[in-house]
Amino acid sequence: MPVNEQSIRTLTAVKDNLESCILGKSFEINLLLTALLAGGHVLIEDVPGTGKTQLIKALAKSMDGEYRRIQCNPDILPSDITGVSVFHPHEERFVFRPGPVMTHILLADEINRATTKTQSALLEVMEERSVTADGVTYPLPHPFMLCATQNPIDFEGTYLLPEAQLDRFMLKIGMGYPDAATEKNMLHTHSLGQPVDQLRPVTSMEQIAAIQQEIRDVYISDLLSDYLLEIVRRTREHEAVLLGASPRASLAFMAAAKAFAFIDGRHFVLPDDLKVLAPYVLGHRILLRPESRLDSMNSKQVLQQILRQVQVPISAGR
């Protein structure tokens, strides 16, 4: 089944919008769109000032979706995110006032500054796409995506994200510094104001939801499914790893590969899709042994070893 050309044009328009605001980051933008179209969440980890917040804001504006931002800090409470029931004197009953989580795109800025209790309020949100308050469950708008940011070098007043929450992020990506030419171009484009403020919607959340359904039909062969599962299984058996990738990671890996292929204009997944995505889907889900960390080993090196060891299927297309 060929890829819907209208859907590809829509995604191209969204990418063009984002690239007009965040210069020189085409690959990172593709990863963000991959998570969105696969129905996943994204953790963006990088130093301040690299455009993390602007990228998420530009994404929401491009799709004309509802956008809310939470500035995480140790004082924020779970109810500040999910909402709270307030007594209404005229109606003589409690009325639920939804929190900022009732949106299409939610940005949890500096998520590791929120306490573990507050972070746990996002677990149901990320997995079930709903909020439960006073025994009543409220569904979130569809589509919904949580984008969280954190600073990798700031440790004072921060709390480590638990493995259960990290596992709910489909992708973990970094922005990185721009090259010299891109940064010079940035000086010119920002001299007239923030480019994101000039953006206009090029699609709607309804169209994005329709594309998400199309992506479910992207073909992945049995050979590639076995290749994917073997990569995940090796993360559980590697001698440097204490905790490998979960079955949820396998599902996220497959969904991300389908979306990545679709963005590239294909209705089938290739081995290269899996090799490119593996560090971003699996890297944050791997917990290394203490002695491995002392030897300066990291999850990226582990995955590189695994990808070299696992035989790539010869015929995986369609």
Side-chain angles (χ1 to χ4, degrees):
M1 184 180 68
V3 173
N4 188 328
E5 293 298 329
Q6 179 58 45
S7 298
I8 296 300
R9 286 194 292 270
T10 296
L11 295 179
T12 301
V14 173
K15 286 194 290 185
D16 290 345
N17 245 17
L18 298 183
E19 290 176 0
S20 69
C21 299
I22 310 298
L23 306 180
K25 297 298 176 183
S26 297
F27 179 68
E28 288 76 10
I29 288 172
N30 269 1
L31 290 178
L32 180 66
L33 291 177
T34 295
L36 170 70
L37 298 177
H41 311 292
V42 171
L43 177 62
I44 307 178
E45 183 179 77
D46 218 318
V47 296
T50 50
K52 301 185 295 293
T53 302
Q54 293 300 309
L55 175 60
I56 305 307
K57 186 177 180 181
L59 177 66
K61 292 193 71 171
S62 297
M63 303 182 298
D64 198 22
E66 293 184 26
Y67 166 77
R68 298 288 185 274
R69 179 177 180 270
I70 303 169
Q71 184 59 54
C72 297
N73 59 68
D75 296 332
I76 194 171
L77 300 173
S79 58
D80 295 330
I81 296 175
T82 58
V84 64
S85 295
V86 178
F87 184 73
H88 198 292
H90 295 292
E91 299 183 14
E92 296 185 348
R93 64 184 182 91
F94 283 93
V95 178
F96 179 68
R97 290 188 177 178
V101 74
M102 290 293 180
T103 187
H104 290 117
I105 305 293
L106 176 66
L107 171 61
D109 209 5
E110 296 186 304
I111 189 173
N112 56 334
R113 287 194 171 277
T115 63
T116 53
K117 181 179 181 180
T118 300
Q119 290 178 18
S120 65
L122 293 171
L123 295 180
E124 179 187 4
V125 168
M126 297 174 73
E127 188 68 18
E128 281 81 25
R129 263 66 169 189
S130 63
V131 169
T132 300
D134 298 327
V136 180
T137 299
Y138 303 91
L140 299 183
H142 179 73
F144 169 79
M145 181 182 188
L146 171 66
C147 302
T149 70
Q150 66 177 6
N151 180 355
I153 63 172
D154 192 1
F155 300 105
E156 186 175 350
T158 62
Y159 302 83
L160 291 176
L161 297 182
E163 282 71 24
Q165 185 160 19
L166 283 173
D167 197 34
R168 284 168 166 80
F169 285 104
M170 176 173 282
L171 299 176
K172 180 182 177 183
I173 64 178
M175 298 295 289
Y177 290 119
D179 57 38
T182 300
E183 196 161 7
K184 182 177 180 180
N185 191 15
M186 192 184 303
L187 295 179
H188 172 71
T189 58
H190 282 69
S191 64
L192 303 176
Q194 286 282 3
V196 69
D197 295 333
Q198 310 301 321
L199 284 187
R200 295 291 180 267
V202 294
T203 185
S204 66
M205 298 308 296
E206 290 75 16
Q207 285 178 293
I208 295 299
I211 295 175
Q212 288 179 336
Q213 291 299 316
E214 291 179 43
I215 286 173
R216 293 176 182 269
D217 295 327
V218 172
Y219 177 75
I220 179 168
S221 69
D222 287 340
L223 284 175
L224 265 189
S225 295
D226 292 340
Y227 178 59
L228 181 155
L229 291 172
E230 182 64 14
I231 294 172
V232 173
R233 188 182 63 82
R234 292 288 184 99
T235 67
R236 303 166 187 165
E237 300 175 352
H238 196 282
E239 59 183 8
V241 176
L242 178 64
L243 179 67
S246 67
R248 182 191 285 121
S250 302
L251 295 173
F253 202 179
M254 183 178 69
K258 288 185 174 185
F260 195 75
F262 190 93
I263 291 171
D264 196 43
R266 288 180 280 110
H267 69 282
F268 55 89
V269 176
L270 294 175
D272 283 349
D273 298 328
L274 299 177
K275 294 172 72 173
V276 168
L277 288 172
Y280 304 99
V281 177
L282 304 178
H284 60 289
R285 292 177 157 100
I286 296 176
L287 181 63
L288 299 183
R289 297 183 183 276
E291 57 269 27
S292 302
R293 295 197 297 270
L294 289 175
D295 291 338
S296 300
M297 179 77 77
N298 57 48
S299 60
K300 183 177 180 181
Q301 292 171 328
V302 169
L303 286 168
Q304 287 174 344
Q305 291 179 7
I306 291 173
L307 290 173
R308 286 196 298 266
Q309 294 168 357
V310 180
Q311 184 175 358
V312 180
I314 301 302
S315 178
R318 186 180 185 182

